[in-house]
């Protein structure tokens, strides 16, 4: 990180530390309450928000997961009986993910604890005037990062 000015280095290190600390706390809470990863809870949550099945490709986009990463998450959830797969009519390669009743119960059980942890370890640290500023900055970062298509080796 020698090539970055001190202020940029500080922001980058703070971002990495905050991400790690917050996600570690959330993962710890989830493992104690519902034995779910944050990615698995996100899948259950996205399915709970939609009335009916979602195409796997749609679900990957909603959860910001790669197709293979989503497949692994859904496989684990199918194994626990929280999600089922269904074929897409007229599309031999397409598949739906469907929230089961057990999945809905698990989601509804875990979500209040998850939201309380998000409030305790993330939101409670931020002042009201910082929320909009941080949301804007993070949205710009996400947008910029999503437009990067491939690594440019000439810049390395």
């Amino acid at each position: 990180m020698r090539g970055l000015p001190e202020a940029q280095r500080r922001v980058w290190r703070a971002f990495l530390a905050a991400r790690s600390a917050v996600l570690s706390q959330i993962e710890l809470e989830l493992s104690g309450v519902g034995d779910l990863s944050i990615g698995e809870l996100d899948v259950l949550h996205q399915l709970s928000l939609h009335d009916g099945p979602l195409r796997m490709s749609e679900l990957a986009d909603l959860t910001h997961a790669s197709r293979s990463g989503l497949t692994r998450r859904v496989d684990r959830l199918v194994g626990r009986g929280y999600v089922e797969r269904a074929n897409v009519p007229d599309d031999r390669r397409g598949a739906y993910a469907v929230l089961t009743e057990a999945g809905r119960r698990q989601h509804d059980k875990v979500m209040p604890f998850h939201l309380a942890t998000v409030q305790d370890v993330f939101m409670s640290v931020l002042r009201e005037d910082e929320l909009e500023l941080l949301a804007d900055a993070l949205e710009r970062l996400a947008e910029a990062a999503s437009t990067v298509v491939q690594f440019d080796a000439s810049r390395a």
Side-chain angles (χ1 to χ4, degrees):
M1 308 262 17
R2 284 185 282 174
L4 293 177
E6 178 58 31
Q8 291 179 358
R9 203 170 34 246
R10 182 175 170 228
V11 168
W12 179 245
R13 289 191 181 285
F15 169 77
L16 293 177
R19 178 187 178 278
S20 178
V22 169
L23 290 179
S24 291
Q25 285 297 315
I26 290 172
E27 291 284 357
L28 181 64
E29 170 262 327
L30 287 175
S31 69
V33 175
D35 196 29
L36 293 169
S37 72
I38 193 168
E40 292 165 345
L41 179 58
D42 195 17
V43 168
L44 294 183
H45 186 64
Q46 292 302 325
L47 289 171
S48 77
L49 293 174
H50 289 80
D51 193 25
L54 276 175
R55 279 184 175 265
M56 292 287 285
S57 58
E58 255 185 300
L59 189 54
D61 291 341
L62 289 169
T63 59
H64 307 286
S66 67
R67 303 292 192 258
S68 62
L70 178 71
T71 297
R72 288 189 298 275
R73 286 179 194 166
V74 169
D75 286 346
R76 289 190 299 268
L77 293 168
V78 166
R80 293 181 190 156
Y82 297 152
V83 173
E84 294 176 343
R85 279 198 176 86
N87 293 328
V88 176
D90 303 325
D91 184 355
R92 292 173 28 129
R93 294 179 357 165
Y96 286 121
V98 182
L99 186 65
T100 65
E101 189 54 40
R104 184 168 302 285
R105 283 192 308 270
Q106 184 69 352
H107 170 269
D108 293 349
K109 171 188 158 190
V110 171
M111 207 58 180
F113 295 98
H114 172 64
L115 293 175
T117 302
V118 168
Q119 181 64 42
D120 290 346
V121 302
F122 191 84
M123 298 301 170
S124 68
V125 177
L126 300 169
R127 295 185 316 262
E128 196 65 34
D129 62 310
E130 294 173 318
L131 292 174
E132 184 101 15
L133 184 65
L134 185 57
D136 288 344
L138 292 173
E139 287 167 356
R140 280 195 324 273
L141 286 169
E143 177 70 25
S146 69
T147 61
V148 175
V149 177
Q150 60 181 294
F151 177 70
D152 183 356
S154 67
R155 294 180 51 194

